[in-house]
Amino acid sequence: MQNSSLISQRAKALKPSLTLEISAKAKALIQEGKDICSLSAGEPDFNTPGFIIDASIKALKDGITRYGPAAGDPELREAIALKQTQINQVPTNIDNVLVTNGGKQAIFNLFQVILNPGDEVLLPSPYWLSYPEIVYLAGANPIIIKGNPENGFKLDMKKLETSVTQKTRLLILNSPNNPTGIVMSLKELQDIADFLRRHPKILIMSDEIYELLIAEGQTHYSFGAIAPDLIDRVFTVNGFAKGWAMTGWRVGYLIGQTDVIKKAIALQSQSTSNVCSFAQRGALAALQGSKDCVKKMVKSYNFRRDLITKGLIEMEGVSITKPQGAFYAFPKIEKGNTTSVDFCKLALDKVGLAMVPGIAFGEDNCVRVSCSVSENTIIDGLQRLKKLISIVN
Ligand code: PLP
């Protein structure tokens, strides 16, 4: 039974996820026994490192199974503050840290606390697909700063400047980027800091969830470290999902100015309460333990990212800005007048290849492919894509 009068205006405005539509179709085809190659993964293909799992099992056995502080396990908050201070070079203490149910809840809580209805949020494209929806849920409006695949999706500072209005409240930054894998340079970040200095009412959210997954020779700069004078306006989102292969654990965090963090804690205490107590002990072990497991995963992503990029560069009808981080590539495809959604549907129907349509990230000329799959799957996927392009053109 369908009855739209049951649904609030807010929920009516929510868009269903395009990625889910494609992956549901891919799953249905696999169940029918079809030969499907999926490059649509949005998560690590590694298992969570054993010592992290052991720490959580120990926590369960030790009785860490009850409600905890809404703001997070104090030891974990302390460890996050220490990491942010020592490794990211941003002086941080426990009052600046909120442990959240994944990076996603950090973003949701932040937007609920700092955005008013009608506020405008500057969002460079391509962007992670949940940002616009979480902005809308706070009653605000995303203002897309359209990126251009021809110039490597460099943020156009002039466009950014001319998009500012009296209503502008926040700028969203995501480096390393999902879906492009682009890592912003120090100079680009410094230019953004100068932009913020010219606009004292604008806050910034820096989503650094892929910080550990970068190519050799790349450096990740935490935005707070390059602009210490702006620290009260910088909100950092991070988490354990990507770097530590802990997507299902749901542990992330928000770092920022204490009044905002206090309100975000209040919001969390009245909605979800604390993040799963024993999962937080696993996250604590991740921060305190050896980083060798992360290095191993990074090495493997780097190899596979290079493999997929090389294959795409050599393919006719494809151009690409070389990804330097995360585990995605975002090639531009010559596909005539076909939309990226139709192209991805065709890919499934004609060559059994699952990819994510670029329009989900605000760029219809591209598709997102993942290198968080085996080497053989990458090689197979590239062959299928080549065949599809020859069919379309
Ligand atoms: N930010 C970006 C750019 C992401 O790609 C994701 C997940 O795909 C998240 C945040 C949310 O991560 P989490 O699983 O910790 O909620």
Side-chain angles (χ1 to χ4, degrees):
M1 190 185 75
Q2 277 191 328
N3 188 346
S4 66
S5 67
L6 295 175
I7 311 297
S8 71
Q9 295 302 331
R10 193 170 51 250
K12 272 184 194 156
L14 265 180
K15 282 201 208 97
S17 163
L18 266 179
T19 45
L20 290 186
E21 195 186 320
I22 293 283
S23 58
K25 193 157 181 220
K27 266 188 203 147
L29 288 170
I30 290 167
Q31 267 169 3
E32 283 170 26
K34 297 258 161 62
D35 165 33
I36 300 295
C37 169
S38 180
L39 295 182
S40 63
E43 62 178 327
D45 60 337
F46 294 100
N47 291 329
T48 303
F51 73 93
I52 299 174
I53 294 174
D54 290 345
S56 258
I57 293 173
K58 181 172 183 311
L60 273 168
K61 290 191 173 157
D62 288 349
I64 302 187
T65 53
R66 300 174 193 272
Y67 288 136
D73 181 322
E75 269 188 76
L76 178 58
R77 290 174 80 201
E78 196 69 71
I80 292 168
L82 194 69
K83 170 210 173 269
Q84 191 71 0
T85 305
Q86 292 185 342
I87 297 176
N88 300 89
Q89 310 274 300
V90 185
T92 304
N93 68 53
I94 186 168
D95 298 330
N96 300 114
V97 179
L98 165 64
V99 180
T100 55
N101 208 25
K104 200 177 255 180
Q105 195 192 20
I107 300 167
F108 182 86
N109 285 354
L110 175 68
F111 290 3
Q112 289 293 320
V113 168
I114 61 173
L115 297 177
N116 281 309
D119 280 352
E120 291 178 350
V121 176
L122 301 172
L123 177 57
S125 79
Y127 47 75
W128 179 49
L129 48 86
S130 291
Y131 296 140
E133 297 305 314
I134 308 177
V135 169
Y136 285 128
L137 283 170
N141 296 310
I143 305 296
I144 309 301
I145 316 295
K146 187 96 174 74
N148 180 359
E150 309 302 333
N151 79 349
F153 293 116
K154 292 239 171 295
L155 179 56
D156 183 335
M157 292 306 293
K158 270 195 198 134
K159 249 192 226 172
L160 186 68
E161 196 72 52
T162 53
S163 302
V164 174
T165 72
Q166 287 295 323
K167 294 181 187 163
T168 309
R169 177 72 172 143
L170 177 72
L171 167 65
I172 295 179
L173 217 63
N174 173 215
S175 173
N177 182 271
N178 175 8
T180 61
I182 290 170
V183 178
M184 291 184 92
S185 70
L186 181 59
K187 166 81 172 67
E188 287 169 313
L189 295 170
Q190 283 167 338
D191 287 347
I192 292 169
D194 285 342
F195 163 83
L196 290 172
R197 289 183 187 108
R198 287 194 294 279
H199 300 282
K201 284 190 189 150
I202 302 181
L203 313 177
I204 183 164
M205 180 190 81
S206 178
D207 181 344
E208 303 179 8
I209 200 147
Y210 291 97
E211 72 168 334
L212 298 175
L213 309 186
I214 52 174
E216 249 173 73
Q218 291 293 322
T219 308
H220 166 76
Y221 298 96
S222 201
F223 192 83
I226 61 134
D229 55 316
L230 303 175
I231 200 62
D232 279 356
R233 291 197 271 149
V234 179
F235 296 91
T236 307
V237 167
N238 210 327
F240 295 84
K242 314 291 181 175
W244 297 93
M246 292 172 68
T247 45
W249 292 63
R250 311 310 303 137
V251 191
Y253 51 92
L254 174 66
I255 295 178
Q257 194 269 358
T258 50
D259 293 328
V260 170
I261 293 295
K262 260 190 214 150
K263 273 293 173 209
I265 295 170
L267 173 62
Q268 199 156 291
S269 75
Q270 298 292 12
S271 51
T272 57
S273 301
N274 63 281
V275 172
C276 172
S277 51
F278 44 90
Q280 290 190 72
R281 300 307 282 188
L284 178 63
L287 283 184
Q288 292 178 338
S290 160
K291 306 292 176 283
D292 287 352
C293 53
V294 176
K295 283 185 198 148
K296 240 185 177 165
M297 291 189 270
V298 168
K299 201 169 164 198
S300 170
Y301 291 130
N302 287 350
F303 176 78
R304 292 180 288 168
R305 195 189 305 109
D306 285 349
L307 183 69
I308 206 164
T309 307
K310 187 167 175 286
L312 291 167
I313 286 173
E314 287 168 358
M315 206 177 289
E316 208 157 306
V318 173
S319 55
I320 182 165
T321 302
K322 200 172 182 293
Q324 305 128 334
F327 38 65
Y328 310 107
F330 199 58
K332 181 179 172 213
I333 313 261
E334 276 171 27
K335 50 183 174 47
N337 288 328
T338 335
T339 64
S340 58
V341 173
D342 287 344
F343 183 75
C344 289
K345 283 184 181 161
L346 210 63
L348 265 182
D349 291 342
K350 298 281 185 208
V351 297
L353 175 63
M355 303 176 291
V356 186
I359 193 64
F361 310 95
E363 179 49 74
D364 206 29
N365 292 311
C366 298
V367 294
R368 191 190 74 180
V369 287
S370 173
C371 64
S372 180
V373 289
S374 74
E375 218 179 300
N376 284 343
T377 305
I378 292 176
I379 293 166
D380 181 18
L382 286 167
Q383 278 163 356
R384 291 181 195 229
L385 180 60
K386 195 170 172 184
K387 193 166 157 201
L388 177 70
I389 292 173
S390 69
I391 295 174
V392 172
N393 289 299

